[in-house]
Amino acid sequence: MNPAAHELDVEGLELELLLEAMFRRYGADFRGYARSSLRRRIRNMVRDERLGSISALQEKILREPEAMVRLLDHLSVCVTSMFRDPSFFLAFRQKVVPHLFSAPFVRIWCAGAATGEEVYSLAILLSEEGLFERCRLYGTDINAHLIEKARRGVFDAALMGEYEANYRAAGGKGSLSDYFRVAYDGATPRHGLKRNILFAQHNLAIDGSFNEFNVILCRNVMIYFGAELQNRVHELFFQSLRRKGFLCLGRRESLPRALAKTRYETVDAEERIYRRRS
Amino acid sequence: MNAPRLVVVGASWGGVDALQIVLGALPATFDAAVLVVLHRAQGVRDVLQHVLQRSCSLPVGDVEDKQPILPGRVYLAPAGYHVHVEDAHFGLSVDDPVHHARPSIDVAMSTAAEALGPKVTGVVLTGAGRDGAEGLALIKRLGGCAIVQEPSDAARADLPRAALDAVQPDRVLALEEIATWLAERGGGAEVNGGASPD
């Protein structure tokens, strides 16, 4: 075997052992995650901590809980923005919102909400459509730090220009700045917007269902999971969705073929919006 | 799992024209999979697939998460996502951009090399910046085959030059020669017959 391939083999074993150690020592279960991105993130941590190998990182996290916290932050996916993929929010406005008026109370779950941009975007959209008063939005994420940031809801004012453009492309009816107070370099949602939003820590890999929802959004979260864990989460979502409830995935994610036929109908194939049959 | 041979082609500036030539020369009987990573802007209406399909006799489509890698198909890295190769299927991530790029050529090439070793051929075409150099070097280190477009033949020479600085490739070729070379070898992998470490 060539030396580089040999080294890669050893590293692969070290990675599996680290995941096992994280689970057995801290209950942090990343064993069902897709390995490629995980490996890159863990290598970054090894480099940032000036360690020589994943084994050295394992030793460190076992003995130093603070190092484990840093590792969890390295493993947290946090790419988000207001009205990310505007065409999705436009489709949501046109094809999902009209069906929500008939429900007396609407529960929406954003799974993998990170720092909350998507949740606040939805809140804005729903208040423009006159639905927000009847809605409760649940934003959950595996990472407690991110959830804390989402609760505070302070966004970089420098990004508001970009968000404003997204908002318009998403069919926004006013100006995004109407919904935020800008102080120094931070933009905070005005009070009313936070009223019906609840942020909580939830781990899709191990936690169960916690309510019954009219809509579940989980965009670009499950791409980090292996196929088996994806199936588990799809089962969780199915059980957490009301009949005729909506499931929204990321632009390049599909339902497992078996589910696509029997459990869901397609509302918008391009924007990956599905509806539970019954 | 029976992983197929995979050709990973990376390009940025000038890449659409170059890709039309290379993909256009692949015969319908081409028996490796092709992953194309082209730096492209997110948000603009996506016409790349249609443009490339017009000149290519193999089916061309954007990568879906967990899509199996099948021979005789051309897969495009979708705008805004990195493509990761995992064994016999593709994965996606929205990890931070690498060399300001997402999709990044380095991510696709490195993960392909790590998953498939000698079954990978990396091709670096025209472009600005240096994304792809590191990935191509890793392909070579793990026993795969490295092809670089002749810098003087490229619309932008930065990308091929950076690749040549990072790795001693198996071939440095003009666009038409790359097309012919790939077509003749049906993917061209395992050119070293198991690879020599260097």
Side-chain angles (χ1 to χ4, degrees):
Chain A
M1 195 187 264
N2 104 24
H6 178 78
E7 176 54 33
L8 187 67
D9 242 31
V10 171
E11 192 203 41
L13 176 58
E14 288 178 294
L15 175 62
E16 297 308 311
L17 294 171
L18 174 72
L19 298 181
E20 199 58 36
M22 288 164 64
F23 176 64
R24 290 182 44 186
R25 181 66 188 157
Y26 298 100
D29 194 355
F30 286 84
R31 297 172 301 174
Y33 277 52
R35 290 295 186 267
S36 169
S37 164
L38 202 56
R39 191 163 52 216
R40 293 179 66 85
R41 283 160 180 261
I42 287 170
R43 280 178 187 158
N44 287 344
M45 168 95 176
V46 168
R47 194 196 56 217
D48 289 358
E49 302 273 324
R50 296 162 196 278
L51 299 168
S53 67
I54 295 179
S55 297
L57 178 61
Q58 178 182 319
E59 179 176 3
K60 189 159 180 137
I61 62 128
L62 284 176
R63 298 227 155 70
E64 300 172 27
E66 320 83 69
M68 179 63 189
V69 174
R70 293 198 296 279
L71 175 55
L72 288 177
D73 283 340
H74 266 89
L75 297 182
S76 282
V77 178
C78 188
V79 175
T80 178
S81 56
M82 298 270 176
F83 294 97
R84 181 162 202 251
D85 298 330
S87 59
F88 163 75
F89 283 93
L90 189 60
F92 189 91
R93 211 184 264 269
Q94 292 167 343
K95 297 182 179 174
V96 177
V97 165
H99 295 282
L100 301 180
F101 280 101
S102 57
F105 193 73
V106 178
R107 287 193 200 86
I108 300 179
W109 178 14
C110 287
T115 42
E117 282 82 343
E118 187 174 65
V119 180
Y120 289 112
S121 303
L122 269 181
I124 290 166
L125 187 158
L126 292 165
S127 50
E128 288 187 353
E129 298 296 329
L131 255 177
F132 189 54
E133 290 310 313
R134 275 195 274 158
C135 290
R136 168 126 323 165
L137 275 59
Y138 299 79
T140 64
D141 199 274
I142 185 179
N143 186 297
H145 288 166
L146 297 184
I147 282 299
E148 193 43 52
K149 278 180 91 171
R151 269 195 207 112
R152 278 203 307 277
V154 183
F155 300 102
D156 187 352
L159 294 173
M160 293 310 275
E162 179 194 320
Y163 293 170
E164 183 81 50
N166 284 354
Y167 163 79
R168 284 206 200 107
K173 291 178 174 170
S175 165
L176 190 62
S177 55
D178 298 342
Y179 299 94
F180 291 89
R181 251 192 329 268
V182 178
Y184 303 102
D185 45 6
T188 346
R190 292 191 181 277
H191 183 68
L193 211 51
K194 283 187 170 179
R195 203 170 43 223
N196 299 339
I197 297 177
L198 222 135
F199 287 105
Q201 195 177 6
H202 180 277
N203 184 348
L204 290 170
I206 51 179
D207 294 333
S209 177
F210 61 96
N211 216 324
E212 202 180 47
F213 298 94
N214 304 73
V215 182
I216 298 177
L217 288 89
C218 187
R219 301 170 64 229
N220 299 324
V221 177
M222 281 191 277
I223 51 178
Y224 288 95
F225 298 168
E228 209 173 304
L229 181 52
Q230 283 189 347
N231 288 338
R232 180 200 128 85
V233 176
H234 272 298
E235 201 58 44
L236 172 66
F237 286 163
F238 184 73
Q239 278 157 17
S240 307
L241 259 188
R242 292 178 66 90
R243 285 174 51 213
K244 298 290 177 187
F246 294 88
L247 175 65
C248 307
L249 303 176
R251 294 194 75 79
R252 293 294 161 217
E253 296 175 273
S254 358
L255 285 170
R257 201 164 296 238
L259 300 188
K261 283 230 168 84
T262 56
R263 291 179 161 185
Y264 292 93
E265 55 188 282
T266 302
V267 175
D268 188 320
E270 186 68 24
E271 301 300 337
R272 310 298 159 113
I273 301 175
Y274 306 94
R275 192 173 192 191
R276 183 176 157 163
R277 285 183 187 276
S278 58
Chain B
M1 224 169 286
N2 196 10
R5 291 179 301 139
L6 177 66
V7 181
V8 186
V9 185
S12 70
W13 185 283
V16 177
D17 293 341
L19 285 166
Q20 282 179 301
I21 292 170
V22 173
L23 299 180
L26 301 179
T29 54
F30 193 70
D31 63 354
V34 181
L35 170 62
V36 172
V37 184
L38 177 70
H39 295 164
R40 48 175 165 158
Q42 201 178 350
V44 288
R45 196 169 152 60
D46 222 336
V47 293
L48 183 64
Q49 188 245 331
H50 299 286
V51 171
L52 294 181
Q53 183 68 83
R54 274 207 302 269
S55 53
C56 182
S57 55
L58 304 170
V60 178
D62 268 12
V63 171
E64 291 275 326
D65 184 46
K66 306 290 181 284
Q67 193 175 21
I69 303 172
L70 301 176
R73 283 168 193 256
V74 177
Y75 299 90
L76 306 180
Y81 292 90
H82 291 304
V83 175
H84 297 247
V85 177
E86 306 239 15
D87 300 329
H89 65 265
F90 293 114
L92 297 174
S93 85
V94 287
D95 289 352
D96 290 337
V98 173
H99 299 299
H100 310 291
R102 190 174 59 214
S104 144
I105 304 166
D106 271 341
V107 172
M109 286 190 173
S110 309
T111 58
E114 288 173 352
L116 303 176
K119 292 184 167 181
V120 180
T121 296
V123 182
V124 171
L125 301 178
T126 170
R130 55 167 299 103
D131 186 27
E134 197 181 308
L136 192 71
L138 190 62
I139 287 178
K140 189 76 184 128
R141 267 208 305 286
L142 287 167
C145 174
I147 312 287
V148 177
Q149 183 180 5
E150 168 62 49
S152 63
D153 179 61
R156 281 292 290 269
D158 309 26
L159 223 56
R161 282 217 183 93
L164 289 174
D165 285 343
V167 60
Q168 178 83 47
D170 295 278
R171 296 281 188 284
V172 181
L173 301 169
L175 272 184
E176 273 81 5
E177 298 169 319
I178 293 175
T180 321
W181 194 89
L182 287 175
E184 277 172 4
R185 294 191 156 252
E190 299 182 67
V191 70
N192 298 327
S196 54
D198 58 342

